[in-house]
Amino acid sequence: MLNVSLHGIKIHAPHGLYPEEHILGNSFVTDVDIWLPDALPWPFADYTLIQKTVSATFLQPGQLLETFVLNIHNALREIFPGAEKIKVAVKKLHPPMPGEVAYAQVCYETPNPSR
């Protein structure tokens, strides 16, 4: 199986649960892993499609990391229907809460339901 990854996709967007997050915005980092079948012809995954999908998802309104992870995952599943497995992780850097927190993360990973 071939694993194609695009990690560290950085986006600043006005998303979050609290009103000030919609004004100041937050920094998000997304990691994507796509497992493609080991078959000939050798599978190909265009990295720019992955980055464009992540960026387009963050242009949509939303509050929860869970929503962004699911929307990115579903969009990638449409682009890469033959993928054996897709994993998406979204981190919100320095979430607004007391204390020092590096990031909050939500990760979603599923095998292809048609296999």
Side-chain angles (χ1 to χ4, degrees):
M1 193 174 335
L2 177 69
N3 177 274
V4 175
S5 299
L6 194 61
H7 287 193
I9 305 167
K10 295 180 182 178
I11 295 175
H12 189 84
H15 302 302
L17 194 57
Y18 303 107
E20 64 269 15
E21 293 179 284
H22 296 267
I23 297 167
L24 301 173
N26 284 297
S27 294
F28 299 91
V29 177
T30 302
D31 298 332
V32 174
D33 296 288
I34 300 174
W35 285 264
L36 299 168
D38 184 10
L40 294 175
W42 194 246
F44 169 77
D46 186 341
Y47 306 125
T48 60
L49 288 176
I50 297 170
Q51 192 278 336
K52 287 178 183 179
T53 300
V54 171
S55 294
T57 301
F58 277 96
L59 290 175
Q60 304 303 315
Q63 294 181 328
L64 303 176
L65 293 178
E66 292 83 351
T67 303
F68 288 104
V69 161
L70 184 61
N71 291 344
I72 293 166
H73 185 279
N74 289 343
L76 290 172
R77 180 62 69 199
E78 287 185 27
I79 295 168
F80 302 102
E84 299 273 343
K85 183 169 66 168
I86 295 176
K87 178 181 177 182
V88 177
V90 175
K91 300 176 186 84
K92 180 193 292 188
L93 303 181
H94 311 291
M97 60 179 59
E100 188 174 324
V101 177
Y103 62 86
Q105 175 177 285
V106 174
C107 183
Y108 185 54
E109 177 178 340
T110 62
N112 190 329
S114 66
R115 298 203 182 272

